Amino acid sequence: EAEADLAAGTKTVRAGGAAEKEAEEEAEEAGSEEKSQVTEDKSEADELDVKSESAVVTKGATGKEEPSATICGETSHNGPSLWLSSVRRRVLVLLQAWLEHFVGNLSESVEFHHILTKFVSNHVGESMDAENKKTWDVIEMYLIKLKVQKERNSKLIRNISFYFEKGEVGVKKSFNCVQLGAKELAAQLTLIDHGMFKAIPYIEFIQKKFEKPETGPFFNLMCTRWNQESQWVASEILQRSSVNDRVATITQMISVGEECLQLKNFCTTFAVVAGLSMSSISRLKLTWDKLPKKVNARFTKLTNLCSLENNYDNYRQAYENATRPKVPYIAVYPKDLTAIEDNIPTFDASELVNFSKLRLLWRLLEEIRQTQNAVYGLAKNKSIHNYLKTLQVWSEQELYEKSLKCEPRVKT
């Protein structure tokens, strides 16, 4: 009986322990659910707090109610200061990179210099932390550099202008172009023309800036030089009073054109052909009749190269096949650039940038840049160089009057 009672008691204790354990587990589950509910309620409350915090209304300096901004966990009652600081930093970095890459070309723009000066004076005191201060110092340094570069460019224009001034400066009257070697004349003309071509900043080829001397001074200086070279060819011929001397001078000029072509100086080759084709020269029938047939054939070959047919097709093929260094015929660039600018829209029908047009412009400008950077390994002959720098030429009217004196009109 005692053993039976003990066994029954043990069974009861076990049953009670199991019930107790089960009750504890149920309590834990209930507590977990309650904790989860509390967490969810707290999250919802936090969201409501954030929304309400972002909609807090404060009174500004004007007394009007203005919404404050919450950025990166910080509330600013004066606007998005952190966002503004980031934008300012990006603008400064971009401006610095822009100046580093294009300071030489931007120096040509008076408007840009004015805008940059105003920008620096208005904003230089803003966001002057250590990093921004360094960038501001670089930008201010480039502002000074722009001013210096502008002064240098002005001086360079004056120096290049010297290359086609009329007068006695640097000219020796004893020089006779017929007595000088055609190779040496061509070499010195090539050095002068290539130097002037290198001086043209690529910005003058963009947006038709080459059309006006004010916006394309270097380009227009080279065009003026080309015109004077062609007038110089005619002037040298018409200075000779005898037919034989004129024939010798024409032969020499054709040789100079050929030598320039050998040096891939297409610019002077075109100038020689243009000078020999002027009405004041082409009308000299007695002179041309005495020109040997072989020399005339050589001139015809040069004329064919410089033909305007099919949009300078012969010249374009020759120029494309020629390796650098070379000097292009400067008048072709405006035709190509104007065709791209006028005939191809910058934006398409969807008002998106037309990158096909920009690629065409880039290819042409890149070809110009590479040609400008090429170097001729020619020695400078100081006396001949100075003689050719300041060409003594007559105007077209004067040339025609001289032509009539050389060979008067035949009365019919």
Side-chain angles (χ1 to χ4, degrees):
E1 288 177 1
E3 287 175 359
D5 292 339
L6 181 61
T10 302
K11 192 174 184 180
T12 304
V13 170
R14 285 178 181 173
E20 202 172 272
K21 187 176 181 181
E22 187 177 347
E24 286 178 0
E25 287 177 358
E26 289 177 0
E28 285 179 4
E29 288 179 4
S32 178
E33 290 177 2
E34 184 177 354
K35 186 177 181 181
S36 176
Q37 184 65 36
V38 169
T39 304
E40 289 178 5
D41 293 342
K42 186 176 180 182
S43 298
E44 290 178 3
D46 289 343
E47 279 186 34
L48 291 171
D49 288 341
V50 170
K51 289 179 179 178
S52 62
E53 184 180 43
S54 64
V56 170
V57 176
T58 59
K59 295 217 173 181
T62 59
K64 296 181 180 180
E65 291 185 340
E66 299 173 350
S68 66
T70 303
I71 299 173
C72 300
E74 296 183 18
T75 301
S76 170
H77 296 290
N78 295 322
S81 58
L82 296 180
W83 175 81
L84 185 59
S85 177
S86 176
V87 170
R88 283 174 177 163
R89 178 65 191 153
R90 286 172 180 266
V91 170
L92 293 180
V93 170
L94 176 62
L95 182 57
Q96 180 183 345
W98 200 24
L99 288 168
E100 287 173 351
H101 284 86
F102 303 109
V103 64
N105 300 310
L106 292 171
S107 62
E108 297 298 314
S109 174
V110 177
E111 184 182 5
F112 177 79
H113 190 271
H114 174 72
I115 292 172
L116 182 61
T117 303
K118 188 176 180 180
F119 175 81
V120 171
S121 62
N122 289 345
H123 300 286
V124 71
E126 298 173 353
S127 303
M128 288 298 285
D129 52 54
E131 192 173 16
N132 282 350
K133 187 178 185 304
K134 185 178 178 181
T135 307
W136 273 117
D137 290 342
V138 173
I139 291 173
E140 288 183 306
M141 181 268 290
Y142 274 106
L143 186 60
I144 297 171
K145 193 172 182 178
L146 280 171
K147 184 178 179 181
V148 173
Q149 186 70 32
K150 185 180 176 183
E151 293 173 354
R152 285 179 180 173
N153 287 346
S154 177
K155 185 178 179 181
L156 182 58
I157 289 175
R158 291 196 297 272
N159 291 342
I160 291 178
S161 300
F162 174 75
Y163 278 83
F164 50 85
E165 286 176 352
K166 296 179 182 180
E168 302 297 324
V169 181
V171 178
K172 293 183 178 180
K173 290 185 178 180
S174 58
F175 266 112
N176 185 338
C177 73
V178 177
Q179 295 173 354
L180 296 172
K183 281 190 176 180
E184 195 58 50
L185 280 171
Q188 300 310 309
L189 286 167
T190 298
L191 287 175
I192 293 170
D193 288 348
H194 189 252
M196 296 191 73
F197 178 64
K198 287 184 71 170
I200 304 174
Y202 83 88
I203 197 170
E204 291 190 14
F205 293 99
I206 299 173
Q207 296 175 335
K208 297 192 283 189
K209 288 184 170 64
F210 48 78
E211 291 182 342
K212 299 178 181 179
E214 296 80 13
T215 54
F218 290 92
F219 183 91
N220 282 271
L221 286 176
M222 187 168 185
C223 291
T224 302
R225 168 72 187 186
W226 185 90
N227 288 328
Q228 296 217 348
E229 282 181 358
S230 63
Q231 289 175 305
W232 167 72
V233 170
S235 299
E236 287 290 336
I237 295 169
L238 294 173
Q239 283 178 19
R240 276 69 182 174
S241 56
S242 71
V243 173
N244 290 335
D245 286 345
R246 290 197 295 274
V247 169
T249 307
I250 289 175
T251 303
Q252 173 75 336
M253 288 301 176
I254 291 172
S255 298
V256 170
E258 290 174 328
E259 291 297 335
C260 285
L261 189 58
Q262 289 295 315
L263 292 170
K264 294 163 287 187
N265 178 5
F266 296 93
C267 188
T268 305
T269 301
F270 266 85
V272 169
V273 171
L276 292 171
S277 302
M278 293 181 73
S279 59
S280 56
I281 303 300
S282 61
R283 66 170 297 277
L284 301 174
K285 188 176 185 304
L286 296 176
T287 304
W288 285 101
D289 286 346
K290 279 202 169 186
L291 195 69
K293 288 184 178 180
K294 287 185 178 179
V295 177
N296 220 325
R298 287 160 51 196
F299 177 59
T300 301
K301 193 174 179 180
L302 289 178
T303 304
N304 290 337
L305 173 72
C306 301
S307 173
L308 278 64
E309 290 183 4
N310 298 322
N311 194 18
Y312 296 96
D313 185 56
N314 294 338
Y315 159 71
R316 290 180 188 277
Q317 290 183 29
Y319 183 78
E320 187 176 347
N321 293 331
T323 57
R324 299 182 183 90
K326 54 187 177 181
V327 185
Y329 175 44
I330 195 68
V332 171
Y333 285 128
K335 291 174 66 67
D336 295 344
L337 291 165
T338 301
I340 295 173
E341 292 283 4
D342 292 350
N343 299 330
I344 305 175
T346 305
F347 299 94
D348 60 20
S350 303
E351 296 188 357
L352 298 176
V353 175
N354 186 356
F355 283 100
S356 298
K357 174 180 180 177
L358 300 184
R359 288 190 191 97
L360 285 173
L361 285 172
W362 178 83
R363 289 193 194 104
L364 189 54
L365 293 173
E366 180 64 11
E367 187 276 323
I368 291 171
R369 185 190 68 82
Q370 291 181 10
T371 305
Q372 287 179 325
N373 290 338
V375 178
Y376 272 100
L378 299 172
K380 181 178 177 180
N381 185 317
K382 196 170 183 180
S383 57
I384 299 177
H385 195 86
N386 288 339
Y387 159 66
L388 294 172
K389 279 198 305 186
T390 50
L391 298 174
Q392 288 185 302
V393 301
W394 288 318
S395 66
E396 289 191 27
Q397 180 64 33
E398 290 172 327
L399 286 171
Y400 203 81
E401 291 173 359
K402 295 285 182 182
S403 177
L404 290 173
K405 287 182 180 179
C406 291
E407 292 188 24
R409 289 191 182 96
V410 177
K411 295 180 179 180
T412 57

